Amino acid sequence: QSALTQPASVSGSPGQSITISCTATSSDVGGYNFVSWYQHHPGKAPKLMIYDVSSRPSGVSDRFSGSKSGNTASLTISGLQAEDESDYYCSSLTRNNTLLFGGGTKLTVL
Amino acid sequence: EVQLVESGGGLVQPGGSLRLSCAASGFPVSSNYMNWVRQAPGKGLEWLSIIYTGGSTYYADSVKGRFTIARDSSKNTLYLQMNSLRAEDTAVYFCARDEPRAMGYAMDVWGQGTPVTVSS
C-alpha cells in the first residue's frame, strides 16, 4: 500500500475543472515539498506535468496547476479537454532519498 | 533531440539475471540524475533507483540488494543490472532523466520502455 493516497478515479465534463488529491500517510515523505505529477497514457511514456509542488515544465499547458496544503498535494486541471483523459500519478521524495509514487488516478472526461 | 532508448528486456526464468540498457542522446547521462521506473501489468508506476551525477545511488526496498544502477559515460548509457529475478519483477521498465531545475526528483525525459517477463 502506497504511502501516497490518491482517489482511484475522478471524472468531469469538457470545460470543467477537476482536482486530484495526493495525501501523504507516512512521515517518510518529510516536509512534502517535492511533489511531482505525471500524466500516463497506457502504452506510452509518462509525462511530467508538475514538479516541486507547483512548478510547470516548459511546454505543459497552464491549464495544469499544482498546490499543497498540509500533507495533501493537489493537481488541478481547468478547462477540461477530451485529451486530458489519462492516468495521473503523484510522487514525492522521501527522507531516505528514494521516491514514492501514489497509486494513480484514472481521469475520465465525460 | 533529447531522447532515451531502452533495450535488453525479454523473457527470463525465476532466479535469473538481465541487464537493461538505456542509450541517451542529446544530453550527457553523467551530468544528470538518472532513474529507473517500472510498471507491472495492471499496476501503477513504481520507482526503482536513481544515480546522482556524483555517483551516489539509491534503491527502492523492493529491489535493494538485487538490482544495480550504473552508467557508462563513454557510451552515454544508463544500465540496470537485475539479479535474482522473481515473477513479481515482471513489468515494463522505463529509464528517465531528472528535470535539472527540480529540487526534488522529477522525471522530464522518459524512454519508451522495455518489457521484462519473469516466468518458467
Side-chain angles (χ1 to χ4, degrees):
Chain A
Q1 189 167 352
S2 176
L4 298 178
T5 300
Q6 299 180 233
S9 63
V10 299
S11 62
S13 300
Q16 287 186 330
S17 293
I18 63 96
T19 297
I20 300 172
S21 62
C22 174
T23 301
T25 58
S26 168
S27 59
D28 286 346
V29 298
Y32 206 38
N33 293 315
F34 303 121
V35 178
S36 295
W37 289 92
Y38 298 86
Q39 178 189 68
H40 189 205
H41 291 106
K44 294 192 173 183
K47 179 182 179 182
L48 179 66
M49 308 304 286
I50 296 288
Y51 65 93
D52 293 349
V53 175
S54 58
S55 296
R56 200 168 39 245
S58 58
V60 171
S61 171
D62 59 6
R63 297 187 299 106
F64 292 83
S65 62
S67 62
K68 189 195 78 163
S69 177
N71 67 336
T72 297
S74 299
L75 173 71
T76 298
I77 308 174
S78 59
L80 206 58
Q81 299 179 0
E83 68 206 47
D84 299 331
E85 185 162 295
S86 186
D87 296 325
Y88 290 85
Y89 294 87
C90 62
S91 71
S92 176
L93 180 65
T94 74
R95 295 179 187 276
N96 298 321
N97 293 319
T98 63
L99 188 77
L100 288 174
F101 277 105
T105 298
K106 181 176 180 61
L107 169 62
T108 301
V109 180
L110 302 171
Chain B
E1 181 189 6
V2 173
Q3 192 175 9
L4 294 169
V5 178
E6 301 98 336
S7 61
L11 175 64
V12 61
Q13 291 189 337
S17 298
L18 209 57
R19 188 179 78 159
L20 305 183
S21 299
C22 170
S25 56
F27 73 97
V29 293
S30 59
S31 298
N32 292 265
Y33 289 10
M34 297 294 297
N35 300 266
W36 285 98
V37 174
R38 70 184 178 187
Q39 184 176 37
K43 303 291 186 180
L45 299 175
E46 181 186 14
W47 177 86
L48 301 177
S49 182
I50 191 168
I51 183 167
Y52 285 4
T53 53
S56 296
T57 58
Y58 296 92
Y59 298 90
D61 287 344
S62 59
V63 304
K64 195 179 301 182
R66 300 189 301 125
F67 290 11
T68 302
I69 190 171
R71 66 185 178 219
D72 184 331
S73 300
S74 67
K75 296 182 179 179
N76 207 28
T77 298
L78 179 74
Y79 301 99
L80 186 68
Q81 177 66 43
M82 304 187 295
N83 298 330
S84 304
L85 283 163
R86 308 164 180 165
E88 54 264 38
D89 294 317
T90 295
V92 175
Y93 285 71
F94 298 95
C95 62
R97 183 189 80 170
D98 240 44
E99 157 65 64
R101 294 171 295 178
M103 295 290 288
Y105 299 169
M107 292 160 276
D108 68 334
V109 178
W110 294 69
Q112 83 289 353
T114 186
V116 172
T117 301
V118 183
S119 175
S120 55

